[in-house]
Amino acid sequence: MQVILVDLCKTFLGSVIAVDNLNLRIEDGEFAVFVGPSGCGKTTTLRIVAGLEQPDSGSVYIGDVDVVNLPPKDRHVSMVFQNFALFPNMNIYDNIAFPLQVRRWSKADIDKRVHEVAKLVGVEDLLDRKSKQVSGGQAQRVSLARAMVRTSDVLLMDEPLSAIDAKVRIQLRTEIKQLHQETKITTIYVTHDQEEAMTLGDKIVVMDRGCVQQVGTPYEIFHKPKNLFVALFVGSPTMNILEGKICKDENRGLMVELDGMKQQIPSRFCDALLNSNIEMVKWGIRPEHIKLVDGSEIDDTTGIVQVVEPLGSRDLLTIHAGHHTFKVMAEAEAVGHYNPENSCFLRFSGDFVHLFNAATDESLNGQP
Amino acid sequence: MKPNYFRMAVAYFVLTILALLVLIPIAAGALTAFKPSGIWVSSPPVWIFKPTLDNFKTILIERTQYMQLRNSLIISSGAVLVSLILGVPAAYALARFKFKGSSQLLGWLISLRMIPPIVVALPAFVLFRNVKLTDTHVGLILMYLTFSIPLVIWIMRGYFFELSPAIEECAMVFGCNRINALRRVVLPLVIPGIVATALLVFIFCWNEYLMALILSGRDTQTLPVAAATYVTRVEVEWGNLFAMNLIIMTPIVILAAIFQRQLVRGLTFGMIE
């Protein structure tokens, strides 16, 4: 069922703004991920959808119904909590059966359904165990089973993987995505981990300070960040950002003067720049888009390797060039070629350059 | 790591001395309870004698003090029941919701327990006499609630605090209203706390002397007040007094032995915040 949030506002203690006039539409069957740093309002928004927080103003539509005044139990949502929230006094079976027991299903129906779901998420062998006798990964599987045992309109997940070991986390991530592909249940997933957001989401909602910064597909969020916050938040290691002044070159058109080096501005930005009186910009490029080359082109920049961090298939290099320090992700074929103190040439391919208005941090929106 | 035997030995030695300091008078008293009236007090004390139940017969049958036992049971259990019924939901509310004045309310509750009872004894007597609650079970129960409800609230609040709110939120998302979530999920988890608190309140009411002395009368006298009557102007009826003491102590000792673990947990709980 689709979820529509209209003009949501929520403050805590009368002054801390958690959610600031949020509008959002999540389509039926979509996997939406709220991502942002802690305190950005993503969990609060989720809890408002669940009915665990009451917004100061605004509406929450699930399907066509405004549920904002309904208690959680009447909203047909189910939820997975960060700390699993298994009922410690019950065994795994009763935990999964709980939503059905509360709604007075018959014993036989409950039994059938619990086994179905337990099998689906792979906790069939654990049904007799006590809640305390399962590992974190298992506990979150159980909690997932409990959330899916009753057909609900929306599945809400509040950082479900952040309390789980790294290895199991990645495995569960795949399983969650697979389960969503099979069930097609509308899902809202909250995480602070941009990688998790990218891998899981059909739609990614990047939030900061209670506001939506950008809504888009993982591709859009990564390649066309709307502002500096999104650009810096998404991608690891983070985008290299330098501040510089726009200037004109007789032969080469618009250039940006970055302390100690000059770079040509890709033509796609020129219209926007010429039509405005922007002087200062922030110029950004992701570490994986910087090429290590032989220095044959005019804009290639010489640099000195400072640190080499091998990541296996690639090397993360810290390179000093101009008066700046760049993070560069060396491609597979360059792995092992560079050592500290080596000199090198960097090429910043115009196709991958991002420009932001230095005054507003908004992207200048050049189409690649 | 190798245990430090010397330190353990010292610790056990000190603890043994302390335990003996507490236990010897109790043991001597308990012995006296079974002594025939001639040798209650003698110098040197008699350690070997033929035990008799005469003292118990005297106090329970001749002086019908099973009535006081009954009064103590009614008042203590009544106070436990009412303070749990009122205190546990209050503790839950104070643990989960912040509202205007909630922290002041908590401070006020704990301050009730700081007042020396003697301060309120006389006003309480006048007050209770005016509303005709002196010499009634209800009157004493009411008086004890002033002290026991804050105790229940503070201890139980600690237990509720320790429970993640996610557990009841989870129950609420999956189909319970708050009351149902409390009943089905939260309360079963704090039963150890409730047991410990109940026991503490029971012990407090059972042992209470001052208020009982002032507010009870012929029909509602409790055991501690009755025990005190064995110290007369003429003599101290040692054997009867210690028999009485044994009757007062035994149920508490048994209860404490059964619920020892919850009791220790209850006492050290909620204090951490």
Side-chain angles (χ1 to χ4, degrees), chain A residues 47 50 52 72-73 77-81 83-90 98-99 101-103 143 146-147, chain B residues 98 163-178 180-181 183-189:
Chain A
R47 289 170 59 85
L52 297 170
K73 69 186 178 78
V77 298
S78 51
M79 190 160 171
V80 175
F81 291 81
N83 53 6
F84 323 133
L86 296 188
F87 305 125
N89 52 330
M90 304 179 190
F98 185 84
Q101 286 167 349
V102 172
R103 295 200 147 80
S143 150
R146 182 177 56 185
Chain B
K98 248 192 141 41
L163 280 186
S164 160
I167 286 178
E168 70 228 48
E169 285 173 351
C170 183
M172 283 160 71
V173 169
F174 289 122
C176 293
N177 57 27
R178 194 172 273 279
N180 263 333
R183 193 174 54 84
R184 293 185 74 128
V185 177
V186 179
L187 282 185
L189 290 173

Side-chain angles (χ1 to χ4, degrees), chain B:
Chain B
M1 205 173 74
K2 203 179 147 216
N4 187 334
Y5 290 111
F6 177 71
R7 277 182 59 172
M8 274 169 67
V10 171
Y12 275 105
F13 180 73
V14 173
L15 289 175
T16 309
I17 302 258
L18 288 176
L20 285 178
L21 277 177
V22 175
L23 287 176
I24 284 177
I26 295 177
L31 274 182
T32 309
F34 295 97
K35 283 181 185 172
S37 57
I39 55 163
W40 280 350
V41 202
S42 51
S43 181
V46 182
W47 292 106
I48 296 161
F49 56 91
K50 192 162 172 265
T52 164
L53 290 176
D54 286 352
N55 301 331
F56 294 92
K57 271 185 207 150
T58 316
I59 58 170
L60 285 178
I61 296 165
E62 276 174 38
R63 306 199 186 163
T64 66
Q65 301 217 310
Y66 58 87
M67 288 302 288
Q68 275 77 358
L69 181 62
R70 191 196 67 143
N71 288 337
S72 271
L73 277 175
I74 292 175
I75 291 167
S76 301
S77 342
V80 167
L81 213 64
V82 180
S83 53
L84 285 182
I85 290 171
L86 295 178
V88 171
Y92 177 75
L94 283 165
R96 282 290 181 263
F97 306 109
K98 248 192 141 41
F99 47 88
K100 213 175 169 194
S102 58
S103 54
Q104 285 86 338
L105 184 63
L106 276 166
W108 174 69
L109 282 170
I110 199 109
S111 75
L112 281 178
R113 292 201 49 90
M114 296 177 194
I115 306 172
I118 192 77
V119 173
V120 291
L122 197 62
F125 173 71
V126 176
L127 201 68
F128 277 58
R129 196 189 50 191
N130 287 345
V131 292
K132 301 208 168 26
L133 278 175
T134 45
D135 199 12
T136 60
H137 292 137
V138 175
L140 259 183
I141 290 176
L142 273 180
M143 193 67 229
Y144 288 165
L145 289 184
T146 7
F147 296 94
S148 63
I149 287 181
L151 187 72
V152 173
I153 290 179
W154 270 87
I155 297 181
M156 288 313 297
R157 198 175 79 105
Y159 276 88
F160 287 127
F161 251 144
E162 208 197 36
L163 280 186
S164 160
I167 286 178
E168 70 228 48
E169 285 173 351
C170 183
M172 283 160 71
V173 169
F174 289 122
C176 293
N177 57 27
R178 194 172 273 279
I179 302 291
N180 263 333
L182 188 63
R183 193 174 54 84
R184 293 185 74 128
V185 177
V186 179
L187 282 185
L189 290 173
V190 294
I191 280 180
I194 293 180
V195 170
T197 318
L199 201 59
L200 282 173
V201 172
F202 188 85
I203 293 173
F204 163 77
C205 299
W206 186 261
N207 289 342
E208 207 282 333
Y209 174 71
L210 180 66
M211 290 299 166
L213 178 69
I214 289 169
L215 296 180
S216 70
R218 212 184 48 216
D219 299 335
T220 54
Q221 198 181 44
T222 59
L223 285 173
V225 181
T229 61
Y230 290 92
V231 183
T232 66
R233 271 184 210 203
V234 187
E235 58 156 355
V236 180
E237 298 175 22
W238 289 108
N240 295 338
L241 177 61
F242 283 123
M244 192 68 165
N245 286 353
L246 215 55
I247 293 175
I248 297 178
M249 268 166 42
T250 312
I252 298 294
V253 172
I254 293 173
L255 283 176
I258 296 174
F259 297 111
Q260 198 181 18
R261 278 178 55 194
Q262 284 93 327
L263 197 62
V264 172
R265 206 169 113 85
L267 282 170
T268 50
F269 218 76
M271 321 291 163
I272 320 146
E273 236 191 84

